[in-house]
Amino acid sequence: MSTTTVTDAGVGAVLSTPAPPAARRAATPRKVRRLPVQKAWPIQIILAAQLGLLVGGVALWEAAAEYGWIDAFFWSRPTAIWATLLTFFESGNAFVDISYTFRSTLMGFFLGTVGGATLGLSFWWSRNYAAIMQPYIICFESLPKLALAPLVILVFGMDLASKVAIATALTLVVSTLTAYAGVRAIDPDGERLFYSLGASRWQVFRKLVVPACIPWIISILRVNIGLALTGSIVGEFIASQHGLGRTIMYAGQTYEIALVWVAVLVLATLSIVMYVGVSWLERVLRKGVTH
């Protein structure tokens, strides 16, 4: 029987053999990559940056009009807009126009959102009812509703009702389709669980369907602000005795560009006020859902 003798030199040669590249890579610890975390700036810095952008933009606008970089007749200038703003509020008609536009926007926003959400939630009760109504709703959504504004003015008159009707029409269908999307997203297993525990159909609707669709309805509130405001302004463009839309139309026809900018700034302020109100309403609704 033959034996193999391994000398110390042979053992040293074996031990000194370099490891393969794959083994070396596996033995080398990899650097752990972490998700970059951006530190939030203090609110004072954020506000200062926002104010700086505003002041810089206004100053650049004034300088461009002063040195002829832009045509001041068509673009106006901040100093002229400020003077017109003071005159607009001192004339006494400003608050009447603002109140008129705000009321029509708010009423159209409320009627369109609540009515559309109610209609969308009602589709849960019957699939056949939803299948019958859905083509009509989609058809109404595809219609250029602003093109029907003159007809709405003729039917409802030149008063506030016609502006509310246009604002409601713009927000109704969007709210309906959004609420219906929430209804279709409800988990059927959740409904089976409620029924297995002895819940009635009304209890399932009130305890499961409505809370599940609240986030979907909340998501459309901010969009409806712009849609309701657009409907009110378009109605005032066509025929109205009051409102910021009427002011913009009159200023455009008489080439009072500074007055146009004044009305636009007031509209922007109005939309910010409504945005803050909707944000508060969202917090209230979310707390109601969580509790």
Side-chain angles (χ1 to χ4, degrees), residues 68-100:
W69 300 340
I70 60 175
D71 193 338
F73 178 79
F74 292 104
W75 290 95
S76 188
R77 56 198 307 166
T79 52
I81 294 172
W82 176 253
T84 306
L85 179 66
L86 296 179
T87 305
F88 179 66
F89 280 96
E90 290 173 357
S91 64
N93 296 325
F95 295 101
V96 175
D97 292 335
I98 294 172
S99 174
Y100 190 88

Side-chain angles (χ1 to χ4, degrees), residues 14-15 63 82 99 131 154 167 180 216 247 272 289-290:
V14 172
L15 294 178
W82 176 253
S99 174
L154 291 175
Y180 183 44
W216 293 79
T247 302
I272 291 174
V289 172
T290 55

Side-chain angles (χ1 to χ4, degrees), residues 9-21 23-24:
V11 173
V14 172
L15 294 178
S16 62
T17 303
R24 289 200 303 269

Side-chain angles (χ1 to χ4, degrees), residues 122-135:
S122 68
F123 292 157
W124 176 81
W125 290 90
S126 173
R127 292 183 178 179
N128 296 325
Y129 163 64
I132 293 173
M133 295 297 298
Q134 188 174 4

Side-chain angles (χ1 to χ4, degrees), residues 11 20 29 36 40 45 70-71 77 95 110 124 127 145 198 227 229 249 251 264 268 270:
V11 173
I45 297 179
I70 60 175
D71 193 338
R77 56 198 307 166
F95 295 101
F110 177 79
W124 176 81
R127 292 183 178 179
K145 289 173 282 298
L227 293 176
L229 193 59
M249 182 63 66
V264 170
L270 181 61

